[in-house]
Amino acid sequence: MSNITFTMIKPDAVANGHIGKILDQITTAGYQITAMKYIHLTEKTAGEFYAVHSERPFYKDLVSFMVSGPIVAAVLKKENAVADFRTLIGATDPSKAEPGTIRNLYAKSIDANAVHGSDSDENAAIEASFFFSNLERF
Ligand code: UDP
Ligand code: MG
């Protein structure tokens, strides 16, 4: 079991002014931020990040959405990071997310769903190194 996960605060949550509240909820839940940056993704970078979904019907819209404004990317450290973070953010579709979860509180739709969270230890490692060099991780 690894102790890191990777997250993004997506363009909708950034545009709606929720960066501070989301980071507060994450750190209150016991996560240490070991890397963080505020960036505007390019189509190429967003397309590569979500390449696993390239055959899905929502892929093009997902990439367009992810480049529609800046995002916050971060690596988070805590015991059982991946599974606990999926619980903290709630279901992909915010209408199905448990009350009090980040998506329940801040997301409006299944596509604009406020945050990303890695789905496995393996993908957490891949996603963290996709965004951050060793010099940017603490
Ligand atoms: N997504 C979408 N429509 C769908 C399913 C997913 O727009 O029907 C978007 C949504 O932003 C989601 C992302 O694609 O967060 C990645 O999908 P995944 O199934 O990996 O959900 P997640 O792991 O983010 O909960
Ligand atoms: Mg996923």
PDB file of all heavy atoms in Angstrom, residues 50-74:
ATOM      1  N   TYR A  50      -5.456  12.089 -19.696  1.00  0.00           N
ATOM      2  CA  TYR A  50      -6.680  11.283 -19.735  1.00  0.00           C
ATOM      3  C   TYR A  50      -6.679  10.272 -20.883  1.00  0.00           C
ATOM      4  O   TYR A  50      -7.743   9.776 -21.263  1.00  0.00           O
ATOM      5  CB  TYR A  50      -7.901  12.197 -19.835  1.00  0.00           C
ATOM      6  CG  TYR A  50      -8.289  12.846 -18.510  1.00  0.00           C
ATOM      7  CD1 TYR A  50      -8.190  14.213 -18.304  1.00  0.00           C
ATOM      8  CD2 TYR A  50      -8.776  12.068 -17.451  1.00  0.00           C
ATOM      9  CE1 TYR A  50      -8.555  14.797 -17.096  1.00  0.00           C
ATOM     10  CE2 TYR A  50      -9.136  12.644 -16.240  1.00  0.00           C
ATOM     11  CZ  TYR A  50      -9.028  14.000 -16.065  1.00  0.00           C
ATOM     12  OH  TYR A  50      -9.398  14.563 -14.864  1.00  0.00           O
ATOM     13  N   ALA A  51      -5.494   9.947 -21.416  1.00  0.00           N
ATOM     14  CA  ALA A  51      -5.399   9.027 -22.558  1.00  0.00           C
ATOM     15  C   ALA A  51      -6.109   7.695 -22.302  1.00  0.00           C
ATOM     16  O   ALA A  51      -6.668   7.097 -23.228  1.00  0.00           O
ATOM     17  CB  ALA A  51      -3.931   8.779 -22.907  1.00  0.00           C
ATOM     18  N   VAL A  52      -6.130   7.254 -21.053  1.00  0.00           N
ATOM     19  CA  VAL A  52      -6.807   6.006 -20.699  1.00  0.00           C
ATOM     20  C   VAL A  52      -8.291   6.045 -21.077  1.00  0.00           C
ATOM     21  O   VAL A  52      -8.915   5.018 -21.322  1.00  0.00           O
ATOM     22  CB  VAL A  52      -6.601   5.696 -19.194  1.00  0.00           C
ATOM     23  CG1 VAL A  52      -7.124   6.824 -18.327  1.00  0.00           C
ATOM     24  CG2 VAL A  52      -7.241   4.390 -18.791  1.00  0.00           C
ATOM     25  N   HIS A  53      -8.855   7.266 -21.157  1.00  0.00           N
ATOM     26  CA  HIS A  53     -10.274   7.417 -21.502  1.00  0.00           C
ATOM     27  C   HIS A  53     -10.491   7.779 -22.978  1.00  0.00           C
ATOM     28  O   HIS A  53     -11.604   8.156 -23.355  1.00  0.00           O
ATOM     29  CB  HIS A  53     -10.914   8.518 -20.646  1.00  0.00           C
ATOM     30  CG  HIS A  53     -10.975   8.202 -19.182  1.00  0.00           C
ATOM     31  ND1 HIS A  53     -11.540   7.041 -18.692  1.00  0.00           N
ATOM     32  CD2 HIS A  53     -10.548   8.888 -18.091  1.00  0.00           C
ATOM     33  CE1 HIS A  53     -11.460   7.038 -17.368  1.00  0.00           C
ATOM     34  NE2 HIS A  53     -10.845   8.143 -16.986  1.00  0.00           N
ATOM     35  N   SER A  54      -9.437   7.657 -23.811  1.00  0.00           N
ATOM     36  CA  SER A  54      -9.527   8.201 -25.181  1.00  0.00           C
ATOM     37  C   SER A  54     -10.607   7.546 -26.043  1.00  0.00           C
ATOM     38  O   SER A  54     -11.060   8.147 -27.008  1.00  0.00           O
ATOM     39  CB  SER A  54      -8.172   8.119 -25.874  1.00  0.00           C
ATOM     40  OG  SER A  54      -7.775   6.786 -25.963  1.00  0.00           O
ATOM     41  N   GLU A  55     -11.024   6.340 -25.700  1.00  0.00           N
ATOM     42  CA  GLU A  55     -12.088   5.675 -26.482  1.00  0.00           C
ATOM     43  C   GLU A  55     -13.484   5.957 -25.933  1.00  0.00           C
ATOM     44  O   GLU A  55     -14.478   5.527 -26.512  1.00  0.00           O
ATOM     45  CB  GLU A  55     -11.857   4.155 -26.510  1.00  0.00           C
ATOM     46  CG  GLU A  55     -10.511   3.726 -27.101  1.00  0.00           C
ATOM     47  CD  GLU A  55     -10.286   4.278 -28.512  1.00  0.00           C
ATOM     48  OE1 GLU A  55     -11.237   4.245 -29.316  1.00  0.00           O
ATOM     49  OE2 GLU A  55      -9.178   4.768 -28.780  1.00  0.00           O
ATOM     50  N   ARG A  56     -13.552   6.637 -24.798  1.00  0.00           N
ATOM     51  CA  ARG A  56     -14.863   6.875 -24.170  1.00  0.00           C
ATOM     52  C   ARG A  56     -15.570   8.049 -24.846  1.00  0.00           C
ATOM     53  O   ARG A  56     -14.926   8.974 -25.334  1.00  0.00           O
ATOM     54  CB  ARG A  56     -14.697   7.167 -22.665  1.00  0.00           C
ATOM     55  CG  ARG A  56     -13.848   6.138 -21.916  1.00  0.00           C
ATOM     56  CD  ARG A  56     -14.616   4.894 -21.558  1.00  0.00           C
ATOM     57  NE  ARG A  56     -15.600   5.153 -20.509  1.00  0.00           N
ATOM     58  CZ  ARG A  56     -15.319   5.178 -19.212  1.00  0.00           C
ATOM     59  NH1 ARG A  56     -14.081   4.998 -18.791  1.00  0.00           N
ATOM     60  NH2 ARG A  56     -16.272   5.392 -18.327  1.00  0.00           N
ATOM     61  N   PRO A  57     -16.916   8.028 -24.881  1.00  0.00           N
ATOM     62  CA  PRO A  57     -17.658   9.093 -25.571  1.00  0.00           C
ATOM     63  C   PRO A  57     -17.430  10.483 -24.981  1.00  0.00           C
ATOM     64  O   PRO A  57     -17.563  11.485 -25.683  1.00  0.00           O
ATOM     65  CB  PRO A  57     -19.120   8.663 -25.421  1.00  0.00           C
ATOM     66  CG  PRO A  57     -19.145   7.636 -24.357  1.00  0.00           C
ATOM     67  CD  PRO A  57     -17.800   6.989 -24.345  1.00  0.00           C
ATOM     68  N   PHE A  58     -17.073  10.558 -23.704  1.00  0.00           N
ATOM     69  CA  PHE A  58     -16.928  11.864 -23.059  1.00  0.00           C
ATOM     70  C   PHE A  58     -15.516  12.443 -23.173  1.00  0.00           C
ATOM     71  O   PHE A  58     -15.261  13.550 -22.686  1.00  0.00           O
ATOM     72  CB  PHE A  58     -17.337  11.772 -21.579  1.00  0.00           C
ATOM     73  CG  PHE A  58     -16.556  10.769 -20.754  1.00  0.00           C
ATOM     74  CD1 PHE A  58     -15.303  11.077 -20.239  1.00  0.00           C
ATOM     75  CD2 PHE A  58     -17.083   9.505 -20.493  1.00  0.00           C
ATOM     76  CE1 PHE A  58     -14.593  10.156 -19.486  1.00  0.00           C
ATOM     77  CE2 PHE A  58     -16.372   8.578 -19.735  1.00  0.00           C
ATOM     78  CZ  PHE A  58     -15.122   8.919 -19.229  1.00  0.00           C
ATOM     79  N   TYR A  59     -14.581  11.724 -23.842  1.00  0.00           N
ATOM     80  CA  TYR A  59     -13.166  12.124 -23.842  1.00  0.00           C
ATOM     81  C   TYR A  59     -12.926  13.546 -24.380  1.00  0.00           C
ATOM     82  O   TYR A  59     -12.247  14.356 -23.736  1.00  0.00           O
ATOM     83  CB  TYR A  59     -12.355  11.104 -24.634  1.00  0.00           C
ATOM     84  CG  TYR A  59     -10.887  11.442 -24.788  1.00  0.00           C
ATOM     85  CD1 TYR A  59     -10.014  11.399 -23.706  1.00  0.00           C
ATOM     86  CD2 TYR A  59     -10.358  11.796 -26.028  1.00  0.00           C
ATOM     87  CE1 TYR A  59      -8.668  11.695 -23.848  1.00  0.00           C
ATOM     88  CE2 TYR A  59      -9.014  12.095 -26.186  1.00  0.00           C
ATOM     89  CZ  TYR A  59      -8.175  12.042 -25.087  1.00  0.00           C
ATOM     90  OH  TYR A  59      -6.842  12.336 -25.244  1.00  0.00           O
ATOM     91  N   LYS A  60     -13.500  13.851 -25.557  1.00  0.00           N
ATOM     92  CA  LYS A  60     -13.249  15.175 -26.163  1.00  0.00           C
ATOM     93  C   LYS A  60     -13.753  16.304 -25.274  1.00  0.00           C
ATOM     94  O   LYS A  60     -13.063  17.306 -25.058  1.00  0.00           O
ATOM     95  CB  LYS A  60     -13.947  15.268 -27.539  1.00  0.00           C
ATOM     96  CG  LYS A  60     -13.030  14.877 -28.681  1.00  0.00           C
ATOM     97  CD  LYS A  60     -13.633  15.258 -30.016  1.00  0.00           C
ATOM     98  CE  LYS A  60     -12.999  16.540 -30.495  1.00  0.00           C
ATOM     99  NZ  LYS A  60     -13.350  16.961 -31.818  1.00  0.00           N
ATOM    100  N   ASP A  61     -14.965  16.117 -24.744  1.00  0.00           N
ATOM    101  CA  ASP A  61     -15.539  17.137 -23.858  1.00  0.00           C
ATOM    102  C   ASP A  61     -14.728  17.261 -22.574  1.00  0.00           C
ATOM    103  O   ASP A  61     -14.570  18.355 -22.027  1.00  0.00           O
ATOM    104  CB  ASP A  61     -16.999  16.790 -23.513  1.00  0.00           C
ATOM    105  CG  ASP A  61     -17.922  17.002 -24.706  1.00  0.00           C
ATOM    106  OD1 ASP A  61     -17.510  17.690 -25.665  1.00  0.00           O
ATOM    107  OD2 ASP A  61     -19.046  16.463 -24.676  1.00  0.00           O
ATOM    108  N   LEU A  62     -14.232  16.130 -22.090  1.00  0.00           N
ATOM    109  CA  LEU A  62     -13.426  16.136 -20.865  1.00  0.00           C
ATOM    110  C   LEU A  62     -12.145  16.951 -21.075  1.00  0.00           C
ATOM    111  O   LEU A  62     -11.791  17.798 -20.246  1.00  0.00           O
ATOM    112  CB  LEU A  62     -13.089  14.691 -20.463  1.00  0.00           C
ATOM    113  CG  LEU A  62     -12.116  14.504 -19.299  1.00  0.00           C
ATOM    114  CD1 LEU A  62     -12.639  15.132 -18.011  1.00  0.00           C
ATOM    115  CD2 LEU A  62     -11.846  13.006 -19.076  1.00  0.00           C
ATOM    116  N   VAL A  63     -11.468  16.722 -22.204  1.00  0.00           N
ATOM    117  CA  VAL A  63     -10.238  17.470 -22.490  1.00  0.00           C
ATOM    118  C   VAL A  63     -10.566  18.964 -22.646  1.00  0.00           C
ATOM    119  O   VAL A  63      -9.875  19.817 -22.075  1.00  0.00           O
ATOM    120  CB  VAL A  63      -9.523  16.899 -23.735  1.00  0.00           C
ATOM    121  CG1 VAL A  63      -8.361  17.796 -24.152  1.00  0.00           C
ATOM    122  CG2 VAL A  63      -9.029  15.476 -23.454  1.00  0.00           C
ATOM    123  N   SER A  64     -11.628  19.289 -23.377  1.00  0.00           N
ATOM    124  CA  SER A  64     -12.019  20.701 -23.535  1.00  0.00           C
ATOM    125  C   SER A  64     -12.297  21.355 -22.186  1.00  0.00           C
ATOM    126  O   SER A  64     -11.886  22.490 -21.929  1.00  0.00           O
ATOM    127  CB  SER A  64     -13.282  20.831 -24.384  1.00  0.00           C
ATOM    128  OG  SER A  64     -13.071  20.289 -25.641  1.00  0.00           O
ATOM    129  N   PHE A  65     -13.002  20.626 -21.339  1.00  0.00           N
ATOM    130  CA  PHE A  65     -13.305  21.155 -20.007  1.00  0.00           C
ATOM    131  C   PHE A  65     -12.024  21.390 -19.203  1.00  0.00           C
ATOM    132  O   PHE A  65     -11.857  22.445 -18.566  1.00  0.00           O
ATOM    133  CB  PHE A  65     -14.240  20.200 -19.262  1.00  0.00           C
ATOM    134  CG  PHE A  65     -14.314  20.440 -17.790  1.00  0.00           C
ATOM    135  CD1 PHE A  65     -14.821  21.639 -17.293  1.00  0.00           C
ATOM    136  CD2 PHE A  65     -13.863  19.486 -16.895  1.00  0.00           C
ATOM    137  CE1 PHE A  65     -14.862  21.878 -15.922  1.00  0.00           C
ATOM    138  CE2 PHE A  65     -13.902  19.721 -15.536  1.00  0.00           C
ATOM    139  CZ  PHE A  65     -14.404  20.918 -15.036  1.00  0.00           C
ATOM    140  N   MET A  66     -11.094  20.453 -19.259  1.00  0.00           N
ATOM    141  CA  MET A  66      -9.887  20.559 -18.431  1.00  0.00           C
ATOM    142  C   MET A  66      -8.949  21.674 -18.884  1.00  0.00           C
ATOM    143  O   MET A  66      -8.073  22.073 -18.126  1.00  0.00           O
ATOM    144  CB  MET A  66      -9.157  19.210 -18.397  1.00  0.00           C
ATOM    145  CG  MET A  66      -9.883  18.142 -17.593  1.00  0.00           C
ATOM    146  SD  MET A  66     -10.209  18.592 -15.867  1.00  0.00           S
ATOM    147  CE  MET A  66      -8.542  18.701 -15.199  1.00  0.00           C
ATOM    148  N   VAL A  67      -9.127  22.174 -20.130  1.00  0.00           N
ATOM    149  CA  VAL A  67      -8.307  23.305 -20.589  1.00  0.00           C
ATOM    150  C   VAL A  67      -9.102  24.617 -20.560  1.00  0.00           C
ATOM    151  O   VAL A  67      -8.626  25.639 -21.051  1.00  0.00           O
ATOM    152  CB  VAL A  67      -7.711  23.059 -22.000  1.00  0.00           C
ATOM    153  CG1 VAL A  67      -6.905  21.770 -22.015  1.00  0.00           C
ATOM    154  CG2 VAL A  67      -8.773  23.040 -23.078  1.00  0.00           C
ATOM    155  N   SER A  68     -10.306  24.584 -19.984  1.00  0.00           N
ATOM    156  CA  SER A  68     -11.163  25.774 -20.003  1.00  0.00           C
ATOM    157  C   SER A  68     -10.728  26.833 -18.987  1.00  0.00           C
ATOM    158  O   SER A  68     -11.228  27.960 -19.019  1.00  0.00           O
ATOM    159  CB  SER A  68     -12.624  25.382 -19.756  1.00  0.00           C
ATOM    160  OG  SER A  68     -12.791  24.873 -18.444  1.00  0.00           O
ATOM    161  N   GLY A  69      -9.817  26.478 -18.099  1.00  0.00           N
ATOM    162  CA  GLY A  69      -9.323  27.435 -17.112  1.00  0.00           C
ATOM    163  C   GLY A  69      -8.220  26.792 -16.307  1.00  0.00           C
ATOM    164  O   GLY A  69      -7.950  25.588 -16.476  1.00  0.00           O
ATOM    165  N   PRO A  70      -7.572  27.545 -15.427  1.00  0.00           N
ATOM    166  CA  PRO A  70      -6.471  26.961 -14.654  1.00  0.00           C
ATOM    167  C   PRO A  70      -6.946  25.903 -13.659  1.00  0.00           C
ATOM    168  O   PRO A  70      -8.125  25.873 -13.283  1.00  0.00           O
ATOM    169  CB  PRO A  70      -5.865  28.169 -13.930  1.00  0.00           C
ATOM    170  CG  PRO A  70      -6.922  29.212 -13.928  1.00  0.00           C
ATOM    171  CD  PRO A  70      -7.766  28.976 -15.143  1.00  0.00           C
ATOM    172  N   ILE A  71      -6.020  25.078 -13.257  1.00  0.00           N
ATOM    173  CA  ILE A  71      -6.274  24.027 -12.261  1.00  0.00           C
ATOM    174  C   ILE A  71      -5.184  24.091 -11.184  1.00  0.00           C
ATOM    175  O   ILE A  71      -4.126  24.677 -11.402  1.00  0.00           O
ATOM    176  CB  ILE A  71      -6.246  22.624 -12.896  1.00  0.00           C
ATOM    177  CG1 ILE A  71      -4.874  22.334 -13.525  1.00  0.00           C
ATOM    178  CG2 ILE A  71      -7.334  22.458 -13.951  1.00  0.00           C
ATOM    179  CD1 ILE A  71      -4.350  20.979 -13.210  1.00  0.00           C
ATOM    180  N   VAL A  72      -5.453  23.458 -10.060  1.00  0.00           N
ATOM    181  CA  VAL A  72      -4.413  23.226  -9.055  1.00  0.00           C
ATOM    182  C   VAL A  72      -4.107  21.736  -9.067  1.00  0.00           C
ATOM    183  O   VAL A  72      -5.030  20.911  -8.945  1.00  0.00           O
ATOM    184  CB  VAL A  72      -4.880  23.654  -7.642  1.00  0.00           C
ATOM    185  CG1 VAL A  72      -3.827  23.292  -6.598  1.00  0.00           C
ATOM    186  CG2 VAL A  72      -5.186  25.143  -7.605  1.00  0.00           C
ATOM    187  N   ALA A  73      -2.845  21.387  -9.268  1.00  0.00           N
ATOM    188  CA  ALA A  73      -2.407  19.986  -9.216  1.00  0.00           C
ATOM    189  C   ALA A  73      -1.602  19.782  -7.943  1.00  0.00           C
ATOM    190  O   ALA A  73      -0.830  20.672  -7.557  1.00  0.00           O
ATOM    191  CB  ALA A  73      -1.553  19.654 -10.437  1.00  0.00           C
ATOM    192  N   ALA A  74      -1.777  18.639  -7.289  1.00  0.00           N
ATOM    193  CA  ALA A  74      -1.036  18.414  -6.039  1.00  0.00           C
ATOM    194  C   ALA A  74      -0.827  16.926  -5.781  1.00  0.00           C
ATOM    195  O   ALA A  74      -1.611  16.088  -6.221  1.00  0.00           O
ATOM    196  CB  ALA A  74      -1.790  19.030  -4.859  1.00  0.00           C
TER     197      ALA A  74
END
